[in-house]
Each structure stands twice: as C-alpha cells, then as structure tokens.
Amino acid sequence: KVGIIAALIGDPKVVILDEPFANLDPTTQIRLKKIIKNLSQQKDVTVLVSSHDLQDVTEVSERIVLLEKGLIIKDIKKTQKTLKDLESYFNKE
C-alpha cells in the first residue's frame, strides 16, 4: 500500500504499477481499481499496469498489450469480450 501511495504523490504524468493487486486484501484491491480507473480517465496521466491477472487487467484497462520475450504479440482495445478472448489465447494447448 505504501508503495502505491508513494507512486501517486506529486501528481505524476506517468504511473507504472507492477502487479499492483498482489498481496492486497479484497477491499484494498477494489479501492485501488477505482483509483487506477480515475487516474486513467485524466487526459494528462498515463497509467501502465503490468500483471499476470487477466481479470484485474481487463477491469482497469482500456488497452491491453501482450508481450512475449520483449515483443508485442497483441495490442487490444478493450471490448466486452476481451476477457474471454484473452482466456482463449492463453488456454491454447
């Protein structure tokens, strides 16, 4: 929690969060998602979230970029079916 607060101090123009929902209680996760959504709606703030949790990412993102070995393999603008599409992509055998 302290790290997230520290990242937001000083009105940053870019906020980079690595696995921000890990090890947080559900109440704090919900609050953080609201904060991220509010921040990202401001035109002068860019929020980058790095996470392996598809549910969390689709809840807070408007655009999702998948990287594999440093290369962009998908660049997705979020729709209602984005979560299902991502789950299908990662469920390939």
Side-chain angles (χ1 to χ4, degrees), residues 4-53:
I4 293 167
I5 292 169
L8 301 177
I9 291 176
D11 238 1
K13 299 296 179 201
V14 178
V15 178
I16 301 171
L17 302 169
D18 184 21
E19 299 289 354
F21 308 106
N23 302 315
L24 294 179
D25 61 274
T27 301
T28 305
Q29 287 181 4
I30 291 167
R31 287 181 184 156
L32 179 57
K33 287 175 186 176
K34 287 180 185 175
I35 291 168
I36 291 171
K37 286 179 187 178
N38 289 339
L39 274 174
S40 65
Q41 290 173 352
Q42 297 177 22
K43 292 188 187 274
D44 60 340
V45 178
T46 299
V47 181
L48 301 173
V49 177
S50 173
S51 179
H52 292 91
D53 190 313

Side-chain angles (χ1 to χ4, degrees), residues 40-70:
S40 65
Q41 290 173 352
Q42 297 177 22
K43 292 188 187 274
D44 60 340
V45 178
T46 299
V47 181
L48 301 173
V49 177
S50 173
S51 179
H52 292 91
D53 190 313
L54 300 177
Q55 180 70 40
D56 289 335
V57 168
T58 54
E59 284 182 37
V60 299
S61 302
E62 293 299 318
R63 178 179 171 202
I64 299 167
V65 178
L66 300 181
L67 301 174
E68 187 173 299
K69 298 180 183 176

